[in-house]
Amino acid sequence: MNSDLDLLRKMYDPHPIEGIPVELLALLPRDKDDRERVERITQLGYPAVKPITPHLLSWLGDINWPVAGYLLPFFLSNRENMISEIREILCADDLIQINWVLEYLLNDPDAPEIASQFRDNLTHLANQEDEEEVYLVAREILDWLGY
C-alpha cells in the first residue's frame, strides 16, 4: 500500500492525498485508460467523491487521454458543484489544462449560469494573449455570455 501511496502522491501532485479516506484513494485512476475506476466514481457520484474532485480534474491536462473522456460526462453533470475547483485551475498557470477546462466545461451556451460565474477569470484570460490561444476561447465565451 505504501508504494501505491507514493505513486498517487507523484501522479496527483500538487494535490495532496493526505487526509483522503482510503476508499476514495482507491478510486483515483492509476493510468490514462483506467475505465474501471471511472465507472466506480460515476456510480458513487457526487458529493461522495468531492474530496478527490481536484485530483480527477487533473486528468483534463490532456483531453486525448481516454480517462479524460471517460470522466467528462461526470464533470459535465457535476460542474455546478465544482466551481471552486474549476476556478483554481483557471487561476493556475497550466495553459493546456485551462484550455481544456474552458473548451469542455465552460464553453457551453446551454449553461450560461455556469460560465457566468467565471466572468472575472474569463476577462483576465481574454486579456492575456498566450501561445496556447486560451485567450481566444475566453473571448468566445465572454462573447456568447454578452460581456
mmCIF file of all heavy atoms in Angstrom, residues 43-69:
data_model
loop_
_atom_site.group_PDB
_atom_site.id
_atom_site.type_symbol
_atom_site.label_atom_id
_atom_site.label_comp_id
_atom_site.label_asym_id
_atom_site.label_seq_id
_atom_site.Cartn_x
_atom_site.Cartn_y
_atom_site.Cartn_z
ATOM 1 N N GLN A 43 -20.584 5.696 -10.469
ATOM 2 C CA GLN A 43 -21.610 5.003 -9.676
ATOM 3 C C GLN A 43 -21.757 5.628 -8.289
ATOM 4 O O GLN A 43 -22.861 5.797 -7.798
ATOM 5 C CB GLN A 43 -21.274 3.520 -9.545
ATOM 6 C CG GLN A 43 -21.443 2.748 -10.832
ATOM 7 C CD GLN A 43 -20.838 1.359 -10.767
ATOM 8 O OE1 GLN A 43 -20.186 0.983 -9.800
ATOM 9 N NE2 GLN A 43 -21.045 0.582 -11.828
ATOM 10 N N LEU A 44 -20.654 5.957 -7.676
ATOM 11 C CA LEU A 44 -20.704 6.582 -6.346
ATOM 12 C C LEU A 44 -21.312 7.968 -6.426
ATOM 13 O O LEU A 44 -22.100 8.347 -5.577
ATOM 14 C CB LEU A 44 -19.291 6.679 -5.762
ATOM 15 C CG LEU A 44 -19.132 5.928 -4.472
ATOM 16 C CD1 LEU A 44 -17.880 5.120 -4.510
ATOM 17 C CD2 LEU A 44 -19.087 6.906 -3.340
ATOM 18 N N GLY A 45 -20.912 8.727 -7.449
ATOM 19 C CA GLY A 45 -21.482 10.039 -7.695
ATOM 20 C C GLY A 45 -20.987 11.126 -6.766
ATOM 21 O O GLY A 45 -20.189 10.910 -5.859
ATOM 22 N N TYR A 46 -21.516 12.291 -7.048
ATOM 23 C CA TYR A 46 -21.207 13.475 -6.267
ATOM 24 C C TYR A 46 -22.321 13.654 -5.249
ATOM 25 O O TYR A 46 -23.473 13.410 -5.594
ATOM 26 C CB TYR A 46 -21.140 14.697 -7.205
ATOM 27 C CG TYR A 46 -20.389 15.846 -6.631
ATOM 28 C CD1 TYR A 46 -19.044 16.008 -6.878
ATOM 29 C CD2 TYR A 46 -21.021 16.769 -5.809
ATOM 30 C CE1 TYR A 46 -18.343 17.068 -6.326
ATOM 31 C CE2 TYR A 46 -20.325 17.819 -5.257
ATOM 32 C CZ TYR A 46 -18.985 17.963 -5.520
ATOM 33 O OH TYR A 46 -18.298 18.994 -4.961
ATOM 34 N N PRO A 47 -22.088 13.948 -4.024
ATOM 35 C CA PRO A 47 -20.890 14.511 -3.408
ATOM 36 C C PRO A 47 -19.941 13.480 -2.790
ATOM 37 O O PRO A 47 -18.959 13.872 -2.177
ATOM 38 C CB PRO A 47 -21.458 15.417 -2.327
ATOM 39 C CG PRO A 47 -22.693 14.737 -1.872
ATOM 40 C CD PRO A 47 -23.245 14.079 -3.121
ATOM 41 N N ALA A 48 -20.222 12.202 -2.950
ATOM 42 C CA ALA A 48 -19.377 11.185 -2.317
ATOM 43 C C ALA A 48 -17.908 11.309 -2.722
ATOM 44 O O ALA A 48 -17.021 11.028 -1.916
ATOM 45 C CB ALA A 48 -19.895 9.787 -2.647
ATOM 46 N N VAL A 49 -17.644 11.744 -3.950
ATOM 47 C CA VAL A 49 -16.265 11.828 -4.424
ATOM 48 C C VAL A 49 -15.695 13.253 -4.363
ATOM 49 O O VAL A 49 -14.603 13.504 -4.883
ATOM 50 C CB VAL A 49 -16.123 11.256 -5.855
ATOM 51 C CG1 VAL A 49 -16.509 9.786 -5.881
ATOM 52 C CG2 VAL A 49 -16.922 12.049 -6.850
ATOM 53 N N LYS A 50 -16.396 14.153 -3.711
ATOM 54 C CA LYS A 50 -15.948 15.552 -3.630
ATOM 55 C C LYS A 50 -14.482 15.689 -3.191
ATOM 56 O O LYS A 50 -13.741 16.469 -3.785
ATOM 57 C CB LYS A 50 -16.851 16.360 -2.708
ATOM 58 C CG LYS A 50 -16.419 17.829 -2.605
ATOM 59 C CD LYS A 50 -17.343 18.636 -1.752
ATOM 60 C CE LYS A 50 -16.934 20.065 -1.544
ATOM 61 N NZ LYS A 50 -16.259 20.771 -2.589
ATOM 62 N N PRO A 51 -14.011 14.943 -2.183
ATOM 63 C CA PRO A 51 -12.617 15.129 -1.750
ATOM 64 C C PRO A 51 -11.569 14.848 -2.833
ATOM 65 O O PRO A 51 -10.455 15.344 -2.740
ATOM 66 C CB PRO A 51 -12.466 14.143 -0.589
ATOM 67 C CG PRO A 51 -13.854 13.970 -0.066
ATOM 68 C CD PRO A 51 -14.738 14.039 -1.288
ATOM 69 N N ILE A 52 -11.929 14.071 -3.854
ATOM 70 C CA ILE A 52 -10.946 13.774 -4.906
ATOM 71 C C ILE A 52 -11.228 14.530 -6.208
ATOM 72 O O ILE A 52 -10.560 14.298 -7.212
ATOM 73 C CB ILE A 52 -10.821 12.252 -5.168
ATOM 74 C CG1 ILE A 52 -12.146 11.647 -5.610
ATOM 75 C CG2 ILE A 52 -10.245 11.541 -3.946
ATOM 76 C CD1 ILE A 52 -12.049 10.202 -6.096
ATOM 77 N N THR A 53 -12.174 15.460 -6.169
ATOM 78 C CA THR A 53 -12.514 16.210 -7.382
ATOM 79 C C THR A 53 -11.313 16.941 -7.985
ATOM 80 O O THR A 53 -11.101 16.864 -9.198
ATOM 81 C CB THR A 53 -13.670 17.193 -7.105
ATOM 82 O OG1 THR A 53 -14.801 16.445 -6.659
ATOM 83 C CG2 THR A 53 -14.047 17.969 -8.345
ATOM 84 N N PRO A 54 -10.487 17.648 -7.196
ATOM 85 C CA PRO A 54 -9.322 18.307 -7.822
ATOM 86 C C PRO A 54 -8.383 17.306 -8.493
ATOM 87 O O PRO A 54 -7.816 17.589 -9.554
ATOM 88 C CB PRO A 54 -8.618 18.998 -6.649
ATOM 89 C CG PRO A 54 -9.652 19.130 -5.595
ATOM 90 C CD PRO A 54 -10.573 17.955 -5.775
ATOM 91 N N HIS A 55 -8.252 16.138 -7.896
ATOM 92 C CA HIS A 55 -7.397 15.100 -8.454
ATOM 93 C C HIS A 55 -7.971 14.618 -9.784
ATOM 94 O O HIS A 55 -7.234 14.415 -10.752
ATOM 95 C CB HIS A 55 -7.272 13.924 -7.482
ATOM 96 C CG HIS A 55 -6.798 14.320 -6.125
ATOM 97 N ND1 HIS A 55 -7.609 14.964 -5.216
ATOM 98 C CD2 HIS A 55 -5.601 14.173 -5.512
ATOM 99 C CE1 HIS A 55 -6.924 15.193 -4.107
ATOM 100 N NE2 HIS A 55 -5.697 14.730 -4.261
ATOM 101 N N LEU A 56 -9.272 14.431 -9.818
ATOM 102 C CA LEU A 56 -9.920 13.964 -11.051
ATOM 103 C C LEU A 56 -9.810 15.007 -12.156
ATOM 104 O O LEU A 56 -9.559 14.665 -13.317
ATOM 105 C CB LEU A 56 -11.385 13.623 -10.779
ATOM 106 C CG LEU A 56 -11.626 12.495 -9.779
ATOM 107 C CD1 LEU A 56 -13.116 12.345 -9.499
ATOM 108 C CD2 LEU A 56 -11.022 11.191 -10.276
ATOM 109 N N LEU A 57 -9.994 16.265 -11.808
ATOM 110 C CA LEU A 57 -9.894 17.325 -12.810
ATOM 111 C C LEU A 57 -8.499 17.422 -13.412
ATOM 112 O O LEU A 57 -8.338 17.921 -14.524
ATOM 113 C CB LEU A 57 -10.316 18.667 -12.202
ATOM 114 C CG LEU A 57 -11.815 18.868 -12.055
ATOM 115 C CD1 LEU A 57 -12.118 20.031 -11.112
ATOM 116 C CD2 LEU A 57 -12.479 19.083 -13.403
ATOM 117 N N SER A 58 -7.499 16.928 -12.707
ATOM 118 C CA SER A 58 -6.144 16.981 -13.262
ATOM 119 C C SER A 58 -6.030 16.163 -14.550
ATOM 120 O O SER A 58 -5.150 16.418 -15.372
ATOM 121 C CB SER A 58 -5.114 16.512 -12.229
ATOM 122 O OG SER A 58 -5.227 15.129 -11.989
ATOM 123 N N TRP A 59 -6.953 15.216 -14.759
ATOM 124 C CA TRP A 59 -6.932 14.428 -15.994
ATOM 125 C C TRP A 59 -7.282 15.264 -17.214
ATOM 126 O O TRP A 59 -7.066 14.846 -18.355
ATOM 127 C CB TRP A 59 -7.837 13.210 -15.875
ATOM 128 C CG TRP A 59 -7.219 12.166 -14.989
ATOM 129 C CD1 TRP A 59 -7.506 11.922 -13.689
ATOM 130 C CD2 TRP A 59 -6.168 11.268 -15.342
ATOM 131 N NE1 TRP A 59 -6.697 10.914 -13.212
ATOM 132 C CE2 TRP A 59 -5.870 10.496 -14.209
ATOM 133 C CE3 TRP A 59 -5.442 11.034 -16.516
ATOM 134 C CZ2 TRP A 59 -4.884 9.510 -14.205
ATOM 135 C CZ3 TRP A 59 -4.461 10.052 -16.510
ATOM 136 C CH2 TRP A 59 -4.190 9.307 -15.361
ATOM 137 N N LEU A 60 -7.826 16.457 -16.996
ATOM 138 C CA LEU A 60 -8.090 17.345 -18.124
ATOM 139 C C LEU A 60 -6.824 18.043 -18.601
ATOM 140 O O LEU A 60 -6.884 18.947 -19.424
ATOM 141 C CB LEU A 60 -9.170 18.368 -17.767
ATOM 142 C CG LEU A 60 -10.579 17.810 -17.671
ATOM 143 C CD1 LEU A 60 -11.573 18.912 -17.333
ATOM 144 C CD2 LEU A 60 -10.991 17.100 -18.946
ATOM 145 N N GLY A 61 -5.686 17.602 -18.098
ATOM 146 C CA GLY A 61 -4.409 18.103 -18.600
ATOM 147 C C GLY A 61 -4.177 17.683 -20.040
ATOM 148 O O GLY A 61 -3.418 18.313 -20.763
ATOM 149 N N ASP A 62 -4.856 16.620 -20.462
ATOM 150 C CA ASP A 62 -4.780 16.180 -21.856
ATOM 151 C C ASP A 62 -6.086 15.477 -22.199
ATOM 152 O O ASP A 62 -6.319 14.340 -21.782
ATOM 153 C CB ASP A 62 -3.595 15.252 -22.071
ATOM 154 C CG ASP A 62 -3.361 14.942 -23.548
ATOM 155 O OD1 ASP A 62 -4.306 15.098 -24.360
ATOM 156 O OD2 ASP A 62 -2.239 14.542 -23.895
ATOM 157 N N ILE A 63 -6.928 16.147 -22.942
ATOM 158 C CA ILE A 63 -8.242 15.607 -23.287
ATOM 159 C C ILE A 63 -8.121 14.375 -24.179
ATOM 160 O O ILE A 63 -9.082 13.625 -24.338
ATOM 161 C CB ILE A 63 -9.129 16.705 -23.931
ATOM 162 C CG1 ILE A 63 -10.614 16.349 -23.827
ATOM 163 C CG2 ILE A 63 -8.712 16.951 -25.372
ATOM 164 C CD1 ILE A 63 -11.159 16.352 -22.437
ATOM 165 N N ASN A 64 -6.946 14.140 -24.734
ATOM 166 C CA ASN A 64 -6.744 12.968 -25.587
ATOM 167 C C ASN A 64 -6.552 11.683 -24.794
ATOM 168 O O ASN A 64 -6.602 10.600 -25.371
ATOM 169 C CB ASN A 64 -5.558 13.201 -26.525
ATOM 170 C CG ASN A 64 -5.817 14.361 -27.449
ATOM 171 O OD1 ASN A 64 -6.847 14.405 -28.127
ATOM 172 N ND2 ASN A 64 -4.920 15.324 -27.463
ATOM 173 N N TRP A 65 -6.311 11.783 -23.497
ATOM 174 C CA TRP A 65 -6.218 10.586 -22.676
ATOM 175 C C TRP A 65 -7.610 9.982 -22.555
ATOM 176 O O TRP A 65 -8.583 10.698 -22.273
ATOM 177 C CB TRP A 65 -5.696 10.909 -21.287
ATOM 178 C CG TRP A 65 -4.255 11.316 -21.223
ATOM 179 C CD1 TRP A 65 -3.242 10.910 -22.038
ATOM 180 C CD2 TRP A 65 -3.670 12.197 -20.269
ATOM 181 N NE1 TRP A 65 -2.063 11.491 -21.657
ATOM 182 C CE2 TRP A 65 -2.300 12.287 -20.558
ATOM 183 C CE3 TRP A 65 -4.181 12.913 -19.188
ATOM 184 C CZ2 TRP A 65 -1.419 13.054 -19.827
ATOM 185 C CZ3 TRP A 65 -3.304 13.688 -18.455
ATOM 186 C CH2 TRP A 65 -1.940 13.751 -18.779
ATOM 187 N N PRO A 66 -7.735 8.685 -22.749
ATOM 188 C CA PRO A 66 -9.067 8.069 -22.632
ATOM 189 C C PRO A 66 -9.753 8.377 -21.304
ATOM 190 O O PRO A 66 -10.957 8.637 -21.283
ATOM 191 C CB PRO A 66 -8.782 6.569 -22.792
ATOM 192 C CG PRO A 66 -7.546 6.520 -23.630
ATOM 193 C CD PRO A 66 -6.728 7.710 -23.183
ATOM 194 N N VAL A 67 -9.018 8.377 -20.195
ATOM 195 C CA VAL A 67 -9.651 8.616 -18.892
ATOM 196 C C VAL A 67 -10.281 10.008 -18.830
ATOM 197 O O VAL A 67 -11.310 10.186 -18.179
ATOM 198 C CB VAL A 67 -8.664 8.361 -17.727
ATOM 199 C CG1 VAL A 67 -7.668 9.481 -17.569
ATOM 200 C CG2 VAL A 67 -9.396 8.111 -16.436
ATOM 201 N N ALA A 68 -9.715 10.971 -19.535
ATOM 202 C CA ALA A 68 -10.327 12.309 -19.581
ATOM 203 C C ALA A 68 -11.699 12.224 -20.234
ATOM 204 O O ALA A 68 -12.669 12.808 -19.752
ATOM 205 C CB ALA A 68 -9.424 13.283 -20.328
ATOM 206 N N GLY A 69 -11.780 11.483 -21.313
ATOM 207 C CA GLY A 69 -13.066 11.294 -21.986
ATOM 208 C C GLY A 69 -14.061 10.517 -21.145
ATOM 209 O O GLY A 69 -15.260 10.814 -21.151
#
